[in-house]
């Protein structure tokens, strides 16, 4: 058998913006040197029609039609590894259901999620303001749908009930936890886990809320500088241990049945010596190009899953697509 016939063929179906940021020259160069060919899939053509033989398909498209044809393709081509099941990915498109997995896993008392409430219409919004909320201000207002579109990122800090009244349902109201202006972004690629520290929203005390108005979109968070804040302060916030991050990441991956995702985690600034972490968001197929050495990480992942053939997607989204991928 020739060397060329042994090359791995990885098909990718991504939005144009994702292709631009993920399928970089450095990725193409490195994967090619590793015997991997990345092949763009045209989502406008049915997958059930004759296609190039793929060893792996990776994807991030949001249409119902695409999800259905991918499931049909999987059932007819069981030797092609589809990363990941559309049925598993769908859970992350809803900010209510995406965090349920954290409670289901019961990782440890030190890992939890912020309190939150789903406001689905104007009446429930009025009720949430009229009645006492389950948590104190400030709170974060997030769109219910988390599908990667621009609207899904339109969030706001809300400082009082008047601010809540200005919101448009459906939304998720989430407890704001002071976390030292630092967020830990954890990237997961199969069994590979990498944690990086990024700037986040600054800590806010009750006195500050009186001069910050009713509501502040995240896009205006830089305005806090004029209020005496230093956005992104957090050099004194310690990174969590690698073993701890790895434990959380692999538990989430197994619970979600996903290989390609990242999650945002913060540490309670008021926890003292007793570290308490909150998982606040989970995203499918994140911006891996921001992760150091992502080219080699992805190449190793493709080779490992094909070699072991331990990840498969079944039509019903169950079975061996449980993310048991060798490191």
């Amino acid at each position: 058998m020739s060397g060329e016939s042994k090359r791995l063929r990885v098909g990718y179906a991504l939005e144009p913006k994702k292709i631009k940021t993920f399928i970089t020259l450095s990725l193409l160069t490195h994967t090619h040197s590793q015997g991997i060919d990345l092949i763009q899939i045209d989502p406008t053509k049915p997958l059930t029609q004759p296609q190039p033989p793929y060893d792996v398909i990776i994807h991030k498209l949001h249409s119902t039609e695409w999800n259905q044809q991918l499931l049909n393709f999987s059932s007819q081509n069981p030797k092609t590894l589809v990363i990941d099941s559309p049925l598993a990915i769908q859970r992350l498109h809803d900010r209510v259901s995406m965090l349920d997995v954290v409670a289901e896993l019961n990782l440890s008392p030190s890992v939890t999620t912020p309190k939150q409430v789903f406001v689905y219409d104007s009446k429930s919004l009025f009720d949430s303001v009229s009645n006492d909320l389950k948590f104190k201000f400030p709170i974060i207002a997030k769109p219910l749908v988390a599908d990667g579109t621009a609207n899904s990122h339109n969030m706001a800090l809300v400082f009082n009930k008047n601010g809540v009244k200005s919101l448009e349902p459906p939304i998720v109201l989430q407890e704001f936890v002071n976390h030292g202006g630092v967020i830990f972004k954890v990237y997961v690629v199969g069994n590979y886990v990498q944690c990086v520290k990024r700037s986040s929203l600054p800590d806010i005390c009750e006195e500050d809320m009186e001069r910050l108005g009713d509501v502040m979109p995240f896009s205006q968070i830089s305005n806090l500088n004029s209020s005496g804040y230093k956005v992104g302060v957090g050099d004194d916030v310690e990174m969590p241990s690698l073993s701890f991050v790895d434990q959380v990441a692999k538990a989430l991956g197994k619970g979600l049945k996903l290989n390609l995702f990242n999650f945002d985690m913060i540490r309670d600034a008021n926890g003292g010596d007793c570290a308490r972490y909150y998982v606040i968001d989970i995203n499918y197929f994140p911006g891996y190009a921001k992760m150091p050495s992502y080219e080699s990480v992805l190449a190793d992942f493709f080779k490992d899953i094909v070699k072991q053939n331990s990840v498969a997607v079944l039509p019903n989204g169950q079975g061996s697509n449980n993310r048991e991928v060798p490191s």
Side-chain angles (χ1 to χ4, degrees):
M1 185 178 293
S2 66
E4 182 66 25
S5 63
K6 295 180 181 179
R7 297 183 65 84
L8 300 184
R9 298 173 64 89
V10 178
Y12 61 90
L14 306 170
E15 299 285 355
K17 183 178 179 180
K18 189 71 174 180
I19 293 175
K20 184 177 181 180
T21 59
F22 178 72
I23 307 296
T24 61
L25 179 59
S26 62
L27 179 65
L28 291 171
T29 300
H30 184 79
T31 52
H32 186 269
S33 70
Q34 296 296 305
I36 302 169
D37 296 322
L38 298 180
I39 306 165
Q40 184 173 0
I41 297 173
D42 185 351
T44 65
K45 298 179 179 179
L47 272 175
T48 50
Q49 291 183 358
Q51 297 281 337
Y54 301 117
D55 297 293
V56 181
I57 289 179
I58 59 176
H59 63 103
K60 189 175 183 180
L61 298 175
H62 302 296
S63 71
T64 302
E65 294 76 14
W66 164 257
N67 289 341
Q68 188 56 57
Q69 71 163 314
L70 187 58
L71 290 172
N72 293 339
F73 176 86
S74 298
S75 65
Q76 298 173 26
N77 301 271
K79 292 184 179 180
T80 298
L81 306 179
V82 177
I83 311 299
D84 283 294
S85 167
L87 302 179
I89 296 170
Q90 190 64 34
R91 183 175 190 175
L92 299 188
H93 291 170
D94 183 316
R95 283 198 167 90
V96 174
S97 63
M98 75 160 58
L99 296 183
D100 287 346
V101 66
V102 180
E104 293 169 4
L105 295 174
N106 193 26
L107 291 168
S108 74
S110 62
V111 183
T112 185
T113 60
K115 298 175 183 177
Q116 64 180 26
V117 60
F118 172 45
V119 179
Y120 53 89
D121 60 17
S122 297
K123 182 181 183 302
S124 59
L125 178 62
F126 176 79
D127 291 341
S128 69
V129 175
S130 300
N131 302 325
D132 290 334
L133 288 171
K134 298 178 181 179
F135 35 92
K136 297 180 180 180
F137 290 102
I139 59 178
I140 299 178
K142 300 181 177 183
L144 171 65
V145 178
D147 58 2
T149 61
N151 288 338
S152 68
H153 296 294
N154 291 336
M155 306 181 192
L157 272 173
V158 183
F159 302 109
N160 51 48
K161 291 185 176 181
N162 285 333
V164 174
K165 292 177 183 178
S166 68
L167 303 174
E168 296 184 7
I171 54 173
V172 174
L173 301 180
Q174 189 178 87
E175 170 189 29
F176 178 79
V177 178
N178 282 332
H179 51 284
V182 165
I183 191 168
F184 303 107
K185 302 191 77 69
V186 182
Y187 294 91
V188 182
V189 182
N191 276 342
Y192 179 87
V193 178
Q194 185 173 131
C195 178
V196 297
K197 185 165 69 171
R198 294 284 185 263
S199 297
S200 182
L201 301 177
D203 292 348
I204 298 174
C205 66
E206 187 172 346
E207 297 168 350
D208 299 323
M209 291 190 292
E210 297 177 0
R211 56 193 176 96
L212 291 175
D214 298 331
V215 61
M216 181 176 291
F218 281 14
S219 60
Q220 299 176 14
I221 203 62
S222 59
N223 292 349
L224 290 177
N225 285 321
S226 62
S227 303
Y229 282 91
K230 294 182 179 179
V231 177
V233 172
D235 292 339
D236 57 341
V237 178
E238 294 184 4
M239 290 280 287
S241 70
L242 293 178
S243 60
F244 170 75
V245 172
D246 190 69
Q247 174 192 3
V248 176
K250 291 183 177 178
L252 285 175
K254 185 174 182 179
L256 293 167
K257 298 183 179 179
L258 294 176
N259 290 277
L260 303 178
F261 68 99
N262 82 329
F263 61 95
D264 294 340
M265 187 167 64
I266 59 175
R267 175 174 175 169
D268 188 350
N270 300 318
D273 295 333
C274 182
R276 186 172 182 82
Y277 291 90
Y278 292 82
V279 176
I280 60 173
D281 208 3
I282 308 174
N283 304 287
Y284 185 70
F285 207 141
Y288 284 119
K290 300 176 183 177
M291 183 180 71
S293 304
Y294 92 103
E295 301 91 344
S296 60
V297 172
L298 267 296
D300 289 345
F301 171 68
F302 294 142
K303 290 187 292 184
D304 286 344
I305 61 174
V306 171
K307 181 180 179 180
Q308 299 297 327
N309 196 22
S310 59
V311 175
V313 174
L314 304 182
N316 60 2
Q318 300 179 358
S320 59
N321 60 332
N322 59 0
R323 197 186 160 275
E324 294 179 358
V325 184
S327 57

